[in-house]
Amino acid sequence: MASEAGWSCDANDAVHVTIIQPGEKKPKTLSTFHPQFTYPIFGDDEQIFGYRGLIIRLRFAAHDLRPHVHISYDEKFKSVGDTAAVDLLDTLKPFVQEEAFADLQDYEKAVQNDPDAKDFKPPGEFVISYEVEDRKYEVWAGSLADPEVRKILDRMQVLVSLFIEAGTPLETDDPEWTLDRWRVYFVYEKVTPPTATASSYSIVGYATTYRYWYYQRDQSQTPAVKNEVFPLPEVNIAKLPARLRIAQFLILPPHHRAGHGTHLYTTIHAACIADPTILELTIEDPNEQFDALRDTADYCLLRPEFLRHNVNLNPDPLGAYSQKKRPRNVPTSALIPTKLLHDIRRSFKIEPTQFAHVLEMYLLGQIPQSHRLAGGTNLARLLIKKYKAENEDDRRYYWWRMLTKQRLYKKNKELLNELELLDRVEKLDATVQNVEEGYEITLDALEGRLPEGEDEEEEANKQVSKAPTGSRDRRVKRKLTVMDDDDDEEEDGTQLAKRPKV
């Protein structure tokens, strides 16, 4: 009986993703890279049984993502009873378009002699162009109801399973009115065509957004039952008030660390601000890399506005009262201009929790580092002096900690109140320190690059909005902290640890 030893290989190593374009005689490779994950296709162990020297080459034409799968190996395991090599074609078919299984020579001929390649333009509408190190890039966007947009998205959706953890490809056979709520943003590099008939576009990445209705009840009217004529008039979804949700977000590995993720995110955000029907931009379950990208981009967007309005923490929100009686609650409205900040948040269409993160990071940055934990401030002494500290920057830092704890407590109050007081105190202090360390990392990364706000973030591969939550989702999520009203004055509270930024 044949031994099974040595017949398994790492699926991530076996799969090669390749971007190609026409060459002089045959297609040439622009880039080749391995997937980040293969568990959606080959199982949690990410192992493929039954082959030696296995290579699964998944190729895409650079301009229109025409796909092809080519499998090669040195040796295949001979079946013994119920033990057999993995059927690779059957395993791949649910994830890859049927056209990808064409004959290799036919595929290469189609890429080499594509009659439409020379005049190819990305589907949808041109949005913006930008340059990175003398290389030109363009962003195009179109509705998923557009067949050309849908065709390219369908071809590249296998990349969701390979690069977006817990990601799920979109269903593109929905009714047109549903598809029209989706908008796909493509990022392309403008390249010199390698041949006279080749395209000048090469894929860099893409993102999908989805608009969903934002219910806003008119508070001036008393709710009442109305006898409307049925059927109701046809509703144009594009004209209804909505939130915009970023779902999938992917920059291909060869283009990482060049700022494309930031360009794509800010382009989507700018379109959101320009659309009067969009009231808020949201993200569906971002991973920590996307959190870092988003925080950096939003900080660079909001910082000039905060500076213009002289937003800062009031070191003496209690006035003379602070010397007479210990305050029971955090005097939020006296610490920060809440009405002004509310108006800024709404004008930039940033959802409340994200706005709070950026505001906290900005306020922390307004305190000299020597008076922050990162600068070695004496925290034990500050917790004794509290709001009565002699130095106003020490008082600002004290109130910054209190303000941060208050927000986190309100968000997680029920969970935190289940803990014993001492546990809340201990975990809150640990969480606030973790939150602060995360902000410090981002502030350090931005130092010297403001106010322009260009950053070399690691590109973020964003989780798709329809992705299920499962045991495989191992990402460290940004979790928040909280504090009990009775404990405000003692800086007591609780933590659901926030991840440090990267």
Side-chain angles (χ1 to χ4, degrees):
M1 180 178 294
S3 171
E4 297 179 19
W7 287 100
S8 290
C9 65
D10 188 302
N12 292 340
D13 291 336
V15 176
H16 297 240
V17 181
T18 303
I19 306 298
I20 65 171
Q21 63 179 184
E24 288 300 326
K25 295 183 179 180
K26 60 182 297 185
K28 70 174 186 177
T29 297
L30 287 179
S31 59
T32 297
F33 43 95
H34 293 287
Q36 212 169 341
F37 317 103
T38 51
Y39 65 85
I41 301 175
F42 296 106
D44 284 351
D45 293 336
E46 296 184 327
Q47 295 288 306
I48 300 175
F49 174 77
Y51 301 90
R52 286 179 176 151
L54 176 65
I55 296 178
I56 302 173
R57 196 171 299 281
L58 180 58
R59 301 202 288 180
F60 295 94
H63 66 295
D64 65 358
L65 282 297
R66 182 194 296 265
H68 184 259
V69 173
H70 182 258
I71 300 172
S72 64
Y73 50 84
D74 297 331
E75 192 176 358
K76 183 176 180 179
F77 181 81
K78 294 181 180 179
S79 301
V80 178
D82 294 335
T83 304
V86 173
D87 188 324
L88 295 173
L89 292 180
D90 281 353
T91 302
L92 290 168
K93 281 181 178 178
F95 297 90
V96 184
Q97 293 289 291
E98 182 66 30
E99 62 180 322
F101 299 96
D103 178 78
L104 175 60
Q105 291 184 349
D106 291 342
Y107 174 75
E108 292 187 345
K109 183 178 179 180
V111 172
Q112 276 293 106
N113 304 311
D114 183 352
D116 300 321
K118 182 179 180 180
D119 298 322
F120 172 86
K121 288 186 177 180
E125 300 175 347
F126 171 80
V127 181
I128 64 161
S129 62
Y130 62 92
E131 292 188 17
V132 177
E133 297 181 351
D134 297 326
R135 296 170 67 173
K136 301 180 186 299
Y137 300 89
E138 294 180 358
V139 179
W140 293 67
S143 164
L144 199 54
D146 181 338
E148 292 302 311
V149 172
R150 198 160 60 248
K151 180 173 75 172
I152 291 185
L153 183 67
D154 282 339
R155 286 174 168 179
M156 66 193 309
Q157 285 212 81
V158 63
L159 299 176
V160 172
S161 300
L162 299 178
F163 293 98
I164 301 178
E165 188 163 8
T168 301
L170 300 182
E171 295 291 339
T172 58
D173 57 355
D174 286 341
E176 184 171 334
W177 69 270
T178 298
L179 294 176
D180 199 36
R181 299 170 75 174
W182 288 92
R183 189 166 178 82
V184 184
Y185 288 80
F186 297 105
V187 183
Y188 276 90
E189 181 179 3
K190 286 298 296 292
V191 298
T192 301
T195 67
T197 59
S199 172
S200 60
Y201 285 93
S202 180
I203 192 69
V204 171
Y206 82 104
T208 59
T209 65
Y210 180 76
R211 59 182 295 145
Y212 60 103
W213 185 42
Y214 189 174
Y215 173 69
Q216 291 183 303
R217 186 171 72 83
D218 187 347
Q219 301 292 335
S220 65
Q221 295 185 4
T222 303
V225 177
K226 295 182 179 179
N227 295 319
E228 301 284 0
V229 177
F230 190 83
L232 297 175
E234 184 177 348
V235 176
N236 186 341
I237 294 177
K239 295 183 179 180
L240 293 176
R243 284 188 174 96
L244 191 70
R245 171 181 291 166
I246 295 178
Q248 298 164 323
F249 192 100
L250 175 65
I251 301 296
L252 297 180
H255 299 281
H256 282 188
R257 307 190 69 81
H260 299 298
T262 298
H263 279 291
L264 181 54
Y265 173 77
T266 54
T267 298
I268 295 172
H269 196 170
C272 176
I273 292 175
D275 186 342
T277 67
I278 301 295
L279 303 180
E280 198 169 271
L281 177 63
T282 66
I283 315 294
E284 180 66 20
D285 193 17
N287 64 18
E288 63 182 78
Q289 285 87 4
F290 192 90
D291 274 336
L293 181 154
R294 182 190 187 193
D295 286 353
T296 300
D298 288 346
Y299 181 87
C300 293
L301 181 69
L302 291 172
R303 181 177 180 271
E305 191 74 4
F306 292 155
L307 290 173
R308 187 166 72 88
H309 291 283
N310 296 316
V311 173
N312 207 340
L313 282 165
N314 178 4
D316 301 304
L318 305 174
Y321 173 78
S322 64
Q323 304 300 322
K324 298 178 181 179
K325 187 177 180 181
R326 179 181 296 178
R328 183 174 181 80
N329 299 312
V330 176
T332 306
S333 59
L335 278 172
I336 53 177
T338 53
K339 175 61 169 62
L340 170 65
L341 292 171
H342 175 75
D343 293 341
I344 292 175
R345 183 191 72 79
R346 292 194 56 148
S347 66
F348 284 90
K349 302 184 180 181
I350 298 176
E351 58 95 11
T353 299
Q354 173 64 10
F355 185 84
H357 292 158
V358 177
L359 175 63
E360 288 168 5
M361 184 161 55
Y362 168 80
L363 293 175
L364 180 66
Q366 298 308 295
I367 302 170
Q369 191 175 62
S370 59
H371 294 270
R372 309 189 316 239
L373 195 61
T377 191
N378 189 329
L379 188 58
R381 185 173 183 274
L382 180 64
L383 294 181
I384 294 173
K385 290 284 188 177
K386 300 182 180 178
Y387 53 87
K388 297 180 182 180
E390 292 82 2
N391 186 283
E392 74 171 29
D393 288 320
D394 287 338
R395 297 197 297 275
R396 281 197 178 94
Y397 182 55
Y398 167 79
W399 285 118
W400 180 87
R401 288 172 56 87
M402 296 296 289
L403 200 63
T404 303
K405 292 177 183 180
Q406 175 183 249
R407 175 184 65 81
L408 297 172
Y409 175 73
K410 288 180 178 179
K411 188 171 181 62
N412 300 278
K413 185 173 183 178
E414 292 184 6
L415 177 62
L416 293 172
N417 284 346
E418 294 177 0
L419 302 176
E420 295 292 334
L421 177 60
L422 292 179
D423 289 338
R424 289 206 303 268
V425 173
E426 179 182 349
K427 292 187 177 184
L428 175 64
D429 285 338
T431 299
V432 171
Q433 181 173 336
N434 199 10
V435 169
E436 184 176 348
E437 288 172 353
Y439 291 159
E440 292 285 7
I441 291 171
T442 303
L443 289 171
D444 286 346
L446 289 168
E447 186 176 358
R449 281 180 279 176
L450 295 171
E452 292 80 11
E454 295 186 5
D455 95 284
E456 298 176 5
E457 84 296 334
E458 179 169 348
E459 304 298 348
N461 295 336
K462 171 64 193 60
Q463 156 124 352
V464 66
S465 64
K466 295 185 179 181
T469 301
S471 60
R472 192 65 202 193
D473 194 355
R474 299 189 298 258
R475 291 170 293 163
V476 179
K477 301 302 295 177
R478 168 161 55 193
K479 298 180 182 178
L480 306 176
T481 327
V482 199
M483 92 171 277
D484 192 338
D485 292 339
D486 292 338
D487 303 323
D488 281 357
E489 61 198 25
E490 300 299 333
E491 290 206 342
D492 297 341
T494 317
Q495 172 233 2
L496 313 175
K498 177 185 180 298
R499 54 97 183 134
K501 303 224 173 180
V502 295

